[in-house]
């Protein structure tokens, strides 16, 4: 209810006491969907922070705000130097206007995903904060108020569509009514409850509460109440801080869990593929048998024989056909089979060790998923994510950067998100001293290890980055993957090449296991 009419009308009264006769000295934005207004008042500077994200539009009033030196732009130039004459709450609307000198009015329209800030000169729109909401240009200041007929006759006439005629109540109130059998009650009882509610909303207490596991600012004592406030400014400030912290926690936890679940799925797929490969090798492990049969039947094998059928004394003397190299002696053929058998056994041993390691890895990932699922605070989450070297960048970072960032032993490793991102990563975020990696001969992500002045790239860091390059390529499910490693200065893009395609002028290749 932080943008509900009944809350905003109390907020606007409290806000007017703070900023009346104040002068606007700054109006700027340094983040998308965020506007900061600074007012000079008799006591101290007062800040209005309007966060108008479509998913969470909310006003807050920080005690201080330090403007960034970069990436900051001035907006609404007409406002600078204007004095606040008062505040007008728009009747039955989720909007209020700061009334200024020279016939200017700044409207805070808190309409969910269409929230906006609109500057009026007398009755007409002068400027919008969100220019993409073009319908706001047609608004007239004199037409903003809305009316509600609160008569009993109107109530009885529209009893089946009360949410339509009492549109200011909002979702929390109607949800509360539904949960307390409002709709099953008689006309007179419903009418009395509505009148009682209106009286309660005249002098409300403000509750920071959880409803359906979501933090909410409510004027009703519903849900899991965490704090109570008597002042609307304090309540919305606390709500904004708590909500954004909870939102950051939810996003980062979801990101970390997603990374672990992706790693688990990859490990399980790798385990299954390796297990099948091991089964196939065990089934087809015939080299030693062939060699033993040849050595036991040397007298029966004529020179330059290409195929021979011999009784297999390992399997009840069933005949088995063996293909030979006719230009080699029987003993030499047997020797080759013994060598192949030895190599095959080594591969079997290696695959078994890989499976054992992967089983431990899968168990560890599942254990970490369990730990992560049980975490309820951001500090513990970030500590665990850091120890697991998980990338849990914020939503804003994930949207703006063309790469996922990992850290390993103090080095930053950047992994391109897609073909277009690969170009941005390599060409715009890569410097000639950085180390560039890519899975050889297949499509995949560009990877950069950021250079640190005066240091050579440690072998284990290069191997970790190569594992990420292999994992983020078409070879992610192979046992071993060749990865190109070269300084960024030897990577260039030709005019006309498709997104992600580059030319590597000098390279080294290392073999690694694909691993997230």
């Amino acid at each position: 209810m932080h943008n509900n009419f009944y809350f905003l009308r109390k907020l606007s009264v409290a806000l007017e006491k703070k900023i009346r006769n104040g002068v606007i000295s700054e109006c700027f934005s340094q983040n998308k969907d965020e506007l900061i207004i600074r007012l000079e008042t008799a006591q101290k500077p007062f800040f209005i922070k309007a966060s108008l994200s479509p998913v969470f539009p909310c006003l807050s009033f920080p005690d201080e705000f330090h403007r960034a030196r970069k990436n900051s732009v001035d907006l609404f130039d007409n406002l600078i130097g204007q004095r606040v004459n008062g505040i007008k709450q728009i009747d039955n609307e989720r909007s209020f206007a700061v009334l200024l000198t020279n016939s200017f009015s700044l409207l805070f329209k808190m309409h969910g995903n269409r929230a906006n800030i609109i500057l009026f000169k007398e009755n007409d729109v002068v400027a919008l904060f969100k220019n993409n909401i073009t319908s706001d240009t047609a608004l007239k200041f004199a037409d903003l108020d809305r009316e509600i007929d609160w008569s009993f006759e109107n109530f009885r006439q529209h009893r089946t569509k009360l949410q339509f005629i009492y549109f200011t109540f909002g979702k929390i109130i109607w949800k509360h009514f539904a949960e307390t059998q409002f709709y099953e009650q008689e006309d007179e009882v419903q009418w009395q409850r509505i009148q009682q509610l209106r009286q309660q909303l005249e002098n409300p207490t403000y509750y920071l509460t959880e409803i359906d596991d979501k933090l909410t600012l409510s004027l009703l004592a519903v849900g899991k109440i965490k704090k109570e406030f008597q002042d609307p400014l304090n309540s919305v400030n606390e709500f904004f801080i708590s909500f954004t912290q909870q939102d950051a926690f939810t996003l980062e936890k979801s990101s970390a869990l997603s990374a672990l679940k992706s790693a688990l799925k990859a490990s399980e797929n790798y385990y299954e593929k390796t297990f099948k490969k091991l089964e196939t090798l065990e089934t087809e492990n015939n080299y030693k048998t062939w060699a033993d049969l040849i050595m036991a039947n040397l007298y029966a094998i004529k020179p330059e024989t290409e195929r021979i059928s011999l009784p297999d004394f390992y399997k009840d003397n069933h005949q088995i056909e063996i293909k030979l190299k006719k230009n080699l002696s029987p003993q030499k053929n047997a020797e080759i089979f013994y060598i192949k058998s030895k190599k095959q056994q080594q591969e079997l041993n290696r695959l078994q060790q890989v499976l054992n390691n992967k089983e431990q890895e899968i168990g560890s990932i599942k254990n970490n998923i369990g730990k992560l699922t049980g975490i309820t605070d951001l500090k513990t989450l970030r500590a665990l994510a850091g120890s697991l070297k998980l990338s849990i960048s914020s939503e804003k970072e994930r949207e703006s950067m063309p790469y996922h960032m990992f850290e390993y032993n103090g080095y930053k490793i950047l992994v391109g998100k897609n073909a277009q991102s690969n170009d941005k990563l390599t060409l715009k975020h890569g410097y000639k001293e950085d180390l560039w990696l890519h899975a050889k001969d297949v499509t995949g992500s560009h990877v950069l290890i950021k250079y640190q002045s005066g240091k050579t790239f440690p072998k284990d860091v290069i191997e970790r980055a190569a594992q990420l390059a292999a994992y983020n390529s078409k070879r992610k499910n192979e046992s071993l993957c060749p990865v190109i490693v070269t300084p960024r200065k030897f990577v260039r893009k030709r005019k006309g090449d498709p997104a992600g395609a580059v030319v590597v002028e000098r390279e080294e290749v290392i073999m690694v296991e694909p691993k997230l």
Side-chain angles (χ1 to χ4, degrees):
M1 296 181 74
H2 64 287
N3 291 328
N4 180 274
F5 161 70
Y6 296 100
F7 175 75
L8 290 180
R9 71 174 180 174
K10 294 298 182 181
L11 179 70
S12 59
V13 170
L15 184 59
E16 181 174 11
K17 294 178 181 178
K18 293 284 187 180
I19 66 173
R20 189 178 182 87
N21 294 320
V23 176
I24 296 177
S25 59
E26 285 187 287
C27 186
F28 62 91
S29 178
Q30 57 191 41
N31 289 304
K32 183 184 178 183
D33 298 328
E34 182 182 276
L35 182 70
I36 308 298
I37 300 172
R38 172 174 171 150
L39 300 101
E40 308 303 328
T41 69
Q43 290 76 30
K44 62 177 182 178
F46 188 89
F47 295 91
I48 301 175
K49 179 179 179 181
S51 302
L52 302 184
S53 162
V55 295
F56 179 59
C58 186
L59 300 175
S60 60
F61 309 92
D63 289 334
E64 55 184 25
F65 193 94
H66 300 289
R67 186 173 183 176
R69 294 182 180 179
K70 297 181 180 179
N71 301 320
S72 178
V73 58
D74 291 311
L75 296 173
F76 295 119
D77 292 342
N78 293 338
L79 292 180
I80 305 304
Q82 299 293 337
R83 185 177 298 276
V84 177
N85 290 333
I87 292 182
K88 170 181 170 54
Q89 172 63 47
I90 308 303
D91 288 344
N92 300 311
E93 263 291 8
R94 293 172 291 168
S95 306
F96 65 87
V98 178
L99 307 177
L100 304 163
T101 49
N102 297 313
S103 301
F104 283 110
S105 302
L106 190 65
L107 181 74
F108 290 80
K109 185 182 74 122
M110 306 305 293
H111 285 198
N113 60 7
R114 297 185 64 79
N116 204 355
I117 297 177
I118 306 165
L119 180 62
F120 286 86
K121 175 74 171 179
E122 296 182 342
N123 200 39
D124 298 318
V125 173
V126 174
L128 306 177
F129 176 59
K130 288 189 174 182
N131 292 309
N132 61 308
I133 308 179
T134 55
S135 59
D136 285 347
T137 59
L139 294 176
K140 297 295 182 181
F141 192 80
D143 300 333
L144 295 176
D145 291 328
R146 298 176 70 181
E147 292 185 0
I148 295 177
D149 183 350
W150 290 103
S151 69
F152 182 68
E153 291 74 17
N154 190 53
F155 162 76
R156 296 199 68 172
Q157 183 180 350
H158 299 95
R159 187 169 179 260
T160 59
K161 47 182 179 180
L162 294 179
Q163 294 188 37
F164 177 75
I165 64 169
Y166 302 143
F167 52 84
T168 54
F169 281 172
K171 294 179 181 179
I172 291 178
I173 289 174
W174 293 116
K175 176 180 170 63
H176 172 65
F177 275 169
E179 291 173 348
T180 54
Q181 291 73 50
F182 174 85
Y183 296 104
E184 290 79 36
Q185 294 171 335
E186 299 296 327
D187 290 12
E188 290 74 12
V189 178
Q190 286 187 348
W191 174 250
Q192 288 301 321
R193 290 190 62 181
I194 289 173
Q195 303 316 306
Q196 290 168 3
L197 173 68
R198 291 182 64 196
Q199 188 174 11
Q200 180 182 348
L201 294 174
E202 288 296 326
N203 294 290
T205 297
Y206 309 97
Y207 300 96
L208 196 62
T209 181
E210 277 190 359
I211 300 176
D212 297 331
D213 296 324
K214 185 176 181 180
L215 195 64
T216 304
L217 183 61
S218 171
L219 276 61
L220 299 182
V222 294
K224 185 180 178 181
I225 297 172
K226 294 182 172 295
K227 288 186 180 181
E228 296 182 16
F229 300 88
Q230 298 303 317
D231 178 76
L233 289 171
N234 291 339
S235 69
V236 77
N237 282 338
E238 181 74 16
F239 170 66
F240 178 80
I241 293 170
S242 299
F243 187 95
T244 51
Q245 288 177 344
Q246 185 187 73
D247 194 47
F249 170 76
T250 301
L251 284 172
E252 292 189 20
K253 185 174 181 177
S254 175
S255 174
L257 280 171
S258 178
L260 283 177
K261 288 176 180 177
S262 295
L264 178 61
K265 183 178 179 181
S267 294
E268 288 176 338
N269 290 341
Y270 185 90
Y271 183 92
E272 182 180 356
K273 184 177 180 180
T274 305
F275 185 79
K276 289 179 179 178
K277 186 175 181 180
L278 179 63
E279 278 189 325
T280 301
L281 279 177
E282 288 176 336
T283 303
E284 298 176 355
N285 188 15
N286 297 318
Y287 293 125
K288 185 176 184 303
T289 299
W290 296 345
D292 289 346
L293 294 180
I294 291 171
M295 293 303 295
N297 293 277
L298 289 175
Y299 66 91
I301 304 174
K302 296 179 180 180
E304 298 189 351
T305 299
E306 289 190 55
R307 292 179 182 276
I308 189 168
S309 182
L310 298 172
D312 185 355
F313 45 72
Y314 291 114
K315 295 183 178 179
D316 298 327
N317 288 324
H318 291 158
Q319 291 295 115
I320 183 171
E321 187 176 82
I322 303 172
K323 185 179 179 180
L324 305 173
K325 292 185 178 181
K326 69 176 185 178
N327 58 329
L328 299 178
S329 66
Q331 293 94 329
K332 193 65 177 176
N333 272 288
E335 182 182 341
I336 291 173
F337 286 140
Y338 279 131
I339 291 172
K340 287 185 176 181
S341 176
K342 183 178 180 181
K343 289 182 178 179
Q344 192 173 50
Q345 188 58 50
Q346 289 173 342
E347 178 65 6
L348 286 169
N349 294 339
R350 188 189 74 81
L351 290 176
Q352 187 59 59
Q353 185 59 49
V354 167
L355 287 177
N356 293 341
N357 293 341
K358 195 59 69 173
E359 281 183 357
Q360 294 180 6
E361 182 179 300
I362 289 171
S364 177
I365 293 173
K366 288 181 177 178
N367 182 51
N368 289 327
I369 288 175
K371 288 181 181 178
L372 200 59
T373 302
I375 289 176
T376 58
D377 66 280
L378 190 59
K379 183 177 180 180
T380 306
L381 170 67
R382 287 176 172 170
L384 178 60
S387 68
L388 299 177
K389 298 187 171 55
L390 297 175
S391 176
I392 56 169
S393 55
S394 69
E395 183 179 34
K396 186 181 295 183
E397 290 171 334
R398 290 197 296 272
E399 288 176 351
S400 61
M401 293 301 180
Y403 55 78
H404 299 289
M405 186 176 75
F406 298 80
E407 290 194 14
Y408 188 79
N409 287 351
Y411 280 79
K412 291 182 179 179
I413 302 173
L414 312 183
V415 180
K417 294 179 178 179
N418 51 45
Q420 289 74 21
S421 296
N422 281 339
D423 284 346
K424 291 180 182 178
L425 170 62
T426 297
L427 303 176
K428 294 184 179 181
H429 295 271
Y431 296 89
K432 64 180 183 178
E433 298 90 355
D434 297 339
L435 206 58
W436 186 90
L437 302 92
H438 193 281
K440 186 172 177 62
D441 298 331
V442 292
T443 57
S445 294
H446 293 192
V447 175
L448 287 176
I449 308 175
K450 299 304 291 179
Y451 174 72
Q452 295 187 15
S453 180
K455 296 183 180 180
T456 57
F457 294 101
K459 184 177 179 180
D460 61 332
V461 174
I462 296 173
E463 183 176 336
R464 178 71 187 110
Q467 289 175 338
L468 290 168
Y471 181 82
N472 289 277
S473 77
K474 290 290 185 181
R475 297 185 187 269
K476 68 181 291 184
N477 291 319
E478 296 186 10
S479 300
L480 290 173
C481 172
V483 175
I484 296 170
V485 182
T486 189
R488 160 65 184 86
K489 63 183 177 181
F490 295 124
V491 181
R492 62 184 176 87
K493 190 172 185 69
R494 296 173 299 197
K495 186 176 181 181
D497 278 349
V502 293
V503 175
V504 181
E505 296 177 342
R506 186 184 302 176
E507 68 180 53
E508 293 183 8
V509 177
I510 63 173
M511 301 294 291
V512 295
E513 175 190 348
K515 190 174 182 181
L516 182 62

